[in-house]
Amino acid sequence: MSDIANDGAGAAPAVPSGRRGREARRVARAKLGAASLPFITRNIPLTEVLGEEGLALIEHNADTLLEEIGIEFRDHALALELLKEAGCDIKGTRVRFPRGLARSLCASVPPEYVQHARNPARNVHIGGNSTVFAPNYGSPFVRDLDQGRRYGTLEDFRNFVKLSFATPFIHHSGGTVCEPVDLPVNKRHLEMVYAHMRLSDKPFMGSVTHPERAKDTVAMCEILFGKEFVAENTVCTSLINANSPLVWDAIMIGAAEVYAQANQACIITPFILSGAMSPVTVAGTLTQVLAEVLAGTAFTQLVRKGAPVIFGTFVSTLSMQSGAPTFGTPEATLAIHGAAQLARRLRMPFRTGGSLCASKVPDAQAAYESAMTLLPTLQAGTNFVLHAAGWTEGGLTASYEKFMLDFDQLGAMHVLAKGIDLSENGQAFEAFREVSPGTHFLGCAHTQANFETAFYRSSLADNNSVEQWEAEGAQDAAQRANKAWKRVLAEYEAPALDQAVDDALRDFVERKKASLPDAAY
Amino acid sequence: MSDIANDGAGAAPAVPSGRRGREARRVARAKLGAASLPFITRNIPLTEVLGEEGLALIEHNADTLLEEIGIEFRDHALALELLKEAGCDIKGTRVRFPRGLARSLCASVPPEYVQHARNPARNVHIGGNSTVFAPNYGSPFVRDLDQGRRYGTLEDFRNFVKLSFATPFIHHSGGTVCEPVDLPVNKRHLEMVYAHMRLSDKPFMGSVTHPERAKDTVAMCEILFGKEFVAENTVCTSLINANSPLVWDAIMIGAAEVYAQANQACIITPFILSGAMSPVTVAGTLTQVLAEVLAGTAFTQLVRKGAPVIFGTFVSTLSMQSGAPTFGTPEATLAIHGAAQLARRLRMPFRTGGSLCASKVPDAQAAYESAMTLLPTLQAGTNFVLHAAGWTEGGLTASYEKFMLDFDQLGAMHVLAKGIDLSENGQAFEAFREVSPGTHFLGCAHTQANFETAFYRSSLADNNSVEQWEAEGAQDAAQRANKAWKRVLAEYEAPALDQAVDDALRDFVERKKASLPDAAY
């Protein structure tokens, strides 16, 4: 695990000896503490792309969209009933919001909340200056350099949970890190939720593929955390996607209803490939994003006022030539920044971005596109980052190697988010007083005092001479990542879990599985 | 050239026919006009990492550094004389500036200038909201997928000039795009400057390896542009690197003297691997950067008040374990943003960043590190971007494939820099009125009207299905880039140049070469 055990603040400590060794070990221990910081607290200014005028224009247009065109709430009588009571105009399944109503219903969303983990040191703060990274979500396929591309299995799922548990740079275990296609669709959620609970002690997401499965998730949380604790605290955050454009369907709002009632968090997310599921322009897309979030969130607040909700945005673009989804594009970057600004004005936590790409393999395309998504994601002030690691092929495939490569970039984001240290040590004036012009700073006292923590140390970048690199086999980054994930899995140790709790969870899972015939939906 | 002839605003136009065809051709022509826009005009807010307090602190410390420690001006009597006259304290070659003096001497630097190209449509504006991309600089080695790594030759140099000429996303032909190691050191500059003049019509950089070679550059510019034109206009921008920490040496200030006297532009650049050539902290490094730029720039303004100067910053980090240079690190990103802020407060144009990486090959490491450098470079408001394409192995090697991969990212930066279109068309409300919830926008009138220009179209990303990608050979991005540069070189056509001017340039080059014995320094 040594290759990912650096703490984002710099180098893994060298092996020390003697008196200097004791001091180095103390520093190393302090750094381990830092390593387990459960989320990023950003200390850098936000990057914004819209001014007041643009934001007000998009908000006005979103209100017009909700008022004139409206939005569908399909096959969910309660939603129509609650929205009608709240003052919406209902015609069939079409819901039109009087101007300003949706926004006022969203005012009860908490601007921040804590999602509890079974290990309290892993609790995450969602909102404000916090950024929480969660891994890939939803891929039916997996890929690695050895076996190529194949359907995901429960074993792959467990492996990804283990990888995310082992790195200090992923704060949240996520949800459907890949689809365990070897299990019946109607039973997958039980093993997925159990794997997050058993193999990791980080916070996790619940099932959303059926309201009943959301209920199973809450029931399992009650076993893990205790019923009373769950009644009073948020212990899962789950992904509720709109059926864009402008449709909320029964499954998704049914799951949202279950979670909101249980005071568990939902990420209300328009999932948009711009040009197909929204207009081909960024401003048009942001208008629709805002309208869909306002309507979906309004519903959650009617179910339970004050239920935690994250303003979600998944926006990418299409190749207008082939219709293929494209990622890491400049339009997607602008949408990330713009949506973050809209969410802040609603005083809601925000989710977007990740390490998205269209590439089939962890090559230069994958990395360019992922970096062009990840850096804006941080700079925009995103609070919850799904797909922060492992995503390839437009989300169809979770890549073992890309998990590792992305972890490394997430580590760098931890350092970037700290901003520039302006302390006396940061100013380093004593170094200037010690080092003469034309010499170097390598051995000076200030460098010696700081070298253990100076500079983010990538675990996968090869910075050696070309001669050394060739002597070591001239491996590219993907090949190095291939070795790294195998090492992490080999060294993985599951966090302890009370045996009675584990037994109760397994009992729940087995009974539930036995009670249902296998089904493929 | 089709793979790089897209214009950064979106798709290459489809082949049209009939009436709609004429309109499409008109659009295509308008887009070609856009394609030849000679630089980026940014319309997005700046990303900044330091507040007023931090900036003032670093400025104060830089003044203290110049006052207490001072800076060396070595082996250059004129520099010491001018600086003494200006009020500096001189002891040997150590120059100490009374607090505020260097800054006041820099006040005469023009906040912006135009560098003229022999094709006036290629003139670049340096400063303000402009960003100009120039290619790789200084690599002794080159690499491609076919032949691997080898010393650069004049043929490689010419190839890189051709590649940069052919892409609309590089605005400036650069300088030492690679070292033509097959030529004697003291004659290389003649063939390099001639290649920029003959094979491209974009602006270029001059030689800085000896004051005499700077003079040769100016003489060749006088042949190309006419003596009178050069006397009154800036026609080259050249790279003057400090010998950090805190030394200006005779060669660099000698070259700067030649260019400043001729009213040609210098990029006064601390070249720093933090931890060796500056303190291990970002704030300490920025202090030194500012001090070195202030001192070097002050000298140019004493040579000729008002000579154009760019505030340059090359900062990256070291692996404190191995001493190897590292790139795309979060500390380097913070330094980019911080230095840009310091330059803006001096009202000087700013150069930093590029597409830097330590990777030996155009793999995921190369792309992650390059993207993590390039995006901040744009967002910081950088005016002149050297190394925008082709750089690998910490600058030791220019990669043919990476040239193409980076061009593609530079194209994306053109679109990102435009920001969000808030026009009526950008708002796309007519699309919402046409498209029903639950359907799609692919065929609607607004999409039809915009699809030619909607979304940046990467020339190298593969967004196809995995099946199609496999059918086409399962090539990674580097393999696709390999095909692309060969196609561009095969289709390259040199821009026309007046035969008499060309003859005069060749005559100058040949006479100069014949007048000198070959030398390796």
Side-chain angles (χ1 to χ4, degrees):
Chain A
M1 208 149 57
S2 62
D3 61 320
I4 58 160
N6 52 359
D7 73 356
V15 177
S17 67
R19 188 173 167 184
R20 205 176 132 226
R22 275 193 295 279
E23 173 59 12
R25 280 192 295 274
R26 190 198 58 74
V27 171
R29 279 193 302 275
K31 280 158 46 63
L32 269 179
S36 61
L37 274 180
F39 51 87
I40 288 177
T41 302
R42 281 174 277 107
N43 190 32
I44 48 173
L46 299 162
T47 296
E48 304 197 317
V49 297
L50 285 167
E52 171 60 32
E53 199 182 349
L55 291 163
L57 180 67
I58 289 168
E59 288 172 342
H60 176 86
N61 287 350
D63 259 354
T64 305
L65 190 52
L66 288 172
E67 186 183 34
E68 276 188 28
I69 315 290
I71 185 164
E72 297 274 317
F73 280 80
R74 292 187 177 162
D75 307 318
H76 201 283
L78 176 68
L80 298 176
E81 192 180 303
L82 290 174
L83 289 160
K84 185 173 184 177
E85 265 175 38
C88 290
D89 169 60
I90 314 285
K91 290 206 170 60
T93 53
R94 186 71 62 93
V95 178
R96 290 181 176 81
F97 289 76
R99 189 168 284 278
L101 174 62
R103 178 169 291 266
S104 73
L105 291 171
C106 293
S108 52
V109 173
E112 50 196 324
Y113 69 93
V114 171
Q115 181 182 348
H116 293 264
R118 71 170 168 102
N119 175 353
R122 308 284 200 187
N123 292 355
V124 290
H125 176 256
I126 308 280
N129 287 333
S130 303
T131 292
V132 170
F133 291 134
N136 187 65
Y137 189 104
S139 306
F141 299 98
V142 302
R143 183 190 274 274
D144 64 41
L145 290 193
D146 307 293
Q147 297 183 64
R149 185 178 185 265
R150 58 199 189 270
Y151 276 109
T153 64
L154 183 59
E155 188 189 347
D156 293 309
F157 186 100
R158 288 174 170 158
N159 285 341
F160 294 146
V161 171
K162 292 174 183 176
L163 293 180
S164 290
F165 171 70
T167 176
F169 305 133
I170 285 275
H171 314 112
H172 195 285
S173 197
T176 309
V177 289
C178 71
E179 281 286 347
V181 176
D182 53 343
L183 300 182
V185 171
N186 63 336
K187 300 180 180 178
R188 287 178 193 169
H189 66 290
L190 298 162
E191 291 295 354
M192 290 195 281
V193 171
Y194 176 74
H196 285 300
M197 290 175 165
R198 183 66 199 89
L199 303 178
S200 181
D201 63 2
K202 296 183 180 183
F204 54 84
M205 302 169 79
S207 175
V208 295
T209 54
H210 193 285
E212 283 304 316
R213 298 172 198 157
K215 285 181 189 165
D216 288 343
T217 304
V218 175
M220 290 174 74
C221 287
E222 289 173 345
I223 296 170
L224 183 66
F225 290 94
K227 205 159 183 162
E228 300 70 23
F229 191 86
V230 173
E232 307 209 336
N233 295 283
T234 298
V235 298
C236 66
T237 296
S238 303
L239 181 61
I240 306 295
N241 280 350
N243 205 333
S244 303
L246 297 170
V247 174
W248 286 104
D249 69 31
I251 285 179
M252 282 289 160
I253 46 175
E257 181 197 345
V258 170
Y259 286 121
Q261 263 171 355
N263 204 28
Q264 301 305 310
C266 292
I267 314 172
I268 297 290
T269 305
F271 181 97
I272 291 179
L273 297 171
S274 180
M277 289 122 92
S278 78
V280 289
T281 63
V282 176
T285 299
L286 289 174
T287 301
Q288 183 182 319
V289 162
L290 180 56
E292 292 177 351
V293 170
L294 285 170
T297 302
F299 166 72
T300 65
Q301 300 304 298
L302 292 169
V303 169
R304 177 167 174 157
K305 200 169 172 174
V309 176
I310 298 177
F311 183 130
T313 301
F314 183 101
V315 170
S316 204
T317 45
L318 281 189
S319 162
M320 297 308 288
Q321 286 66 45
S322 68
T326 54
F327 296 91
T329 57
E331 295 86 0
T333 296
L334 292 168
I336 285 170
H337 289 297
Q341 291 185 260
L342 293 167
R344 265 194 293 284
R345 283 159 70 98
L346 273 171
R347 299 170 51 82
M348 285 175 66
F350 179 62
R351 170 247 158 164
T352 199
S355 298
L356 310 182
C357 66
S359 185
K360 269 58 81 180
V361 286
D363 64 350
Q365 178 186 345
Y368 277 120
E369 292 175 349
S370 295
M372 288 296 180
T373 312
L374 180 63
L375 183 56
T377 298
L378 181 79
Q379 294 172 321
T382 307
N383 302 114
F384 188 87
V385 184
L386 200 56
H387 315 304
W391 165 294
T392 54
E393 203 191 328
L396 281 176
T397 301
S399 156
Y400 276 81
E401 286 80 21
K402 187 139 181 300
F403 260 96
M404 305 310 291
L405 291 164
D406 289 334
F407 289 164
D408 191 32
Q409 295 300 311
L410 298 178
M413 294 301 101
H414 283 67
V415 178
L416 182 60
K418 289 182 191 171
I420 296 178
D421 172 14
L422 294 169
S423 69
E424 203 171 309
N425 183 60
Q427 293 176 59
F429 216 86
E430 59 173 294
F432 294 122
R433 294 216 166 92
E434 183 180 348
V435 174
S436 300
T439 61
H440 67 75
F441 291 81
L442 283 171
C444 78
H446 181 264
T447 301
Q448 293 283 350
N450 286 279
F451 98 94
E452 298 253 11
T453 54
F455 307 143
Y456 176 64
R457 180 186 174 191
S458 164
S459 58
L460 288 175
D462 185 300
N463 302 309
N464 294 331
S465 69
V466 71
E467 292 78 12
Q468 189 171 344
W469 174 75
E470 282 171 355
E472 290 172 1
Q475 297 200 324
D476 69 15
Q479 292 171 307
R480 295 192 295 272
N482 178 266
K483 289 189 176 167
W485 68 256
K486 290 174 183 168
R487 193 160 53 234
V488 173
L489 289 183
E491 295 178 5
Y492 167 83
E493 288 180 38
L497 178 62
D498 183 278
Q499 191 61 49
V501 171
D502 195 6
D503 291 346
L505 284 170
R506 278 317 308 171
D507 181 60
F508 181 91
V509 168
E510 297 302 341
R511 278 192 298 113
K512 196 81 194 186
K513 282 164 79 172
S515 74
L516 295 168
D518 291 355
Y521 50 87
Chain B
M1 210 147 61
S2 62
D3 61 318
I4 58 161
N6 51 0
D7 73 357
V15 177
S17 66
R19 188 172 164 185
R20 206 175 133 226
R22 274 192 295 280
E23 173 58 14
R25 280 191 296 273
R26 191 196 59 72
V27 171
R29 278 192 302 275
K31 281 157 48 61
L32 270 178
S36 61
L37 274 180
F39 51 86
I40 288 177
T41 303
R42 281 175 277 105
N43 190 33
I44 48 173
L46 299 161
T47 296
E48 304 197 316
V49 298
L50 286 168
E52 170 61 32
E53 199 181 350
L55 290 163
L57 180 67
I58 289 168
E59 287 170 343
H60 176 85
N61 287 351
D63 258 354
T64 306
L65 190 52
L66 288 172
E67 185 183 33
E68 278 190 26
I69 315 291
I71 184 164
E72 298 274 316
F73 279 79
R74 291 188 178 162
D75 308 316
H76 200 283
L78 175 69
L80 298 176
E81 191 181 314
L82 290 174
L83 289 160
K84 184 171 186 181
E85 265 175 36
C88 291
D89 169 60
I90 315 284
K91 290 208 170 60
T93 53
R94 186 71 63 94
V95 178
R96 290 181 175 81
F97 289 76
R99 188 168 286 277
L101 174 62
R103 177 169 291 266
S104 72
L105 290 171
C106 294
S108 52
V109 173
E112 50 196 326
Y113 70 93
V114 171
Q115 181 182 348
H116 293 264
R118 71 170 168 102
N119 175 354
R122 310 284 201 186
N123 292 354
V124 290
H125 175 256
I126 308 281
N129 287 333
S130 302
T131 292
V132 170
F133 291 134
N136 186 66
Y137 189 105
S139 306
F141 299 99
V142 301
R143 183 189 275 273
D144 64 41
L145 291 193
D146 307 293
Q147 297 183 64
R149 185 179 187 266
R150 58 197 188 273
Y151 275 110
T153 65
L154 183 59
E155 188 190 347
D156 294 309
F157 186 99
R158 289 174 170 159
N159 285 341
F160 294 148
V161 171
K162 292 174 184 177
L163 293 180
S164 290
F165 171 70
T167 176
F169 306 133
I170 285 274
H171 314 112
H172 195 286
S173 197
T176 309
V177 289
C178 72
E179 281 286 348
V181 176
D182 52 344
L183 300 183
V185 171
N186 63 334
K187 301 181 180 179
R188 286 178 193 168
H189 66 291
L190 298 162
E191 292 295 355
M192 290 196 280
V193 171
Y194 175 74
H196 286 300
M197 290 177 165
R198 183 65 198 91
L199 303 177
S200 181
D201 62 2
K202 296 183 179 181
F204 54 82
M205 302 169 78
S207 175
V208 296
T209 54
H210 194 285
E212 283 303 315
R213 297 172 199 157
K215 286 181 188 167
D216 288 342
T217 304
V218 174
M220 290 176 73
C221 287
E222 289 174 343
I223 295 171
L224 182 68
F225 290 94
K227 204 157 185 165
E228 300 71 25
F229 191 86
V230 173
E232 306 208 335
N233 295 283
T234 299
V235 298
C236 68
T237 296
S238 303
L239 181 62
I240 305 296
N241 280 351
N243 206 333
S244 304
L246 296 170
V247 175
W248 286 104
D249 68 32
I251 285 178
M252 282 289 161
I253 45 174
E257 180 197 348
V258 171
Y259 286 121
Q261 264 173 352
N263 205 28
Q264 301 305 309
C266 292
I267 314 173
I268 297 290
T269 305
F271 181 98
I272 291 177
L273 296 171
S274 180
M277 289 121 92
S278 78
V280 290
T281 63
V282 177
T285 298
L286 289 174
T287 301
Q288 183 181 320
V289 163
L290 181 56
E292 292 177 350
V293 170
L294 285 169
T297 302
F299 167 70
T300 65
Q301 299 304 298
L302 292 169
V303 170
R304 177 167 173 156
K305 197 169 174 175
V309 176
I310 299 176
F311 183 130
T313 300
F314 183 102
V315 170
S316 204
T317 45
L318 280 189
S319 162
M320 298 309 287
Q321 287 66 45
S322 69
T326 53
F327 297 92
T329 56
E331 295 86 0
T333 296
L334 292 168
I336 285 171
H337 289 297
Q341 291 184 260
L342 293 168
R344 264 193 295 283
R345 283 158 70 98
L346 274 172
R347 299 172 51 81
M348 284 175 67
F350 179 62
R351 171 246 157 163
T352 199
S355 297
L356 310 181
C357 66
S359 185
K360 269 59 80 180
V361 287
D363 65 348
Q365 178 186 346
Y368 277 120
E369 292 175 349
S370 295
M372 288 295 181
T373 312
L374 180 62
L375 184 56
T377 298
L378 181 80
Q379 293 173 322
T382 308
N383 301 115
F384 188 88
V385 184
L386 201 57
H387 315 304
W391 165 295
T392 54
E393 204 192 327
L396 281 177
T397 300
S399 156
Y400 277 81
E401 286 79 21
K402 186 139 182 297
F403 260 96
M404 304 310 291
L405 291 163
D406 288 335
F407 289 165
D408 191 33
Q409 295 300 311
L410 298 179
M413 294 301 101
H414 283 67
V415 178
L416 182 61
K418 289 183 191 171
I420 296 178
D421 172 13
L422 294 169
S423 68
E424 204 173 308
N425 184 62
Q427 292 175 59
F429 216 85
E430 59 173 295
F432 293 123
R433 295 217 164 92
E434 185 180 346
V435 174
S436 301
T439 61
H440 66 76
F441 291 80
L442 283 172
C444 79
H446 181 265
T447 301
Q448 291 285 348
N450 286 280
F451 98 94
E452 298 253 10
T453 52
F455 307 143
Y456 176 64
R457 180 186 174 191
S458 164
S459 59
L460 287 175
D462 186 300
N463 302 308
N464 294 328
S465 69
V466 72
E467 292 78 12
Q468 188 172 343
W469 174 76
E470 283 171 354
E472 291 172 0
Q475 297 200 323
D476 68 15
Q479 292 171 306
R480 295 191 296 273
N482 179 266
K483 289 188 177 170
W485 67 257
K486 291 174 183 168
R487 195 162 47 234
V488 173
L489 288 184
E491 295 178 4
Y492 167 81
E493 287 180 38
L497 179 61
D498 183 275
Q499 190 62 49
V501 171
D502 195 6
D503 291 345
L505 285 169
R506 280 313 313 168
D507 181 61
F508 180 92
V509 168
E510 297 303 338
R511 276 191 300 116
K512 197 81 195 185
K513 283 164 78 172
S515 74
L516 296 168
D518 290 357
Y521 51 87

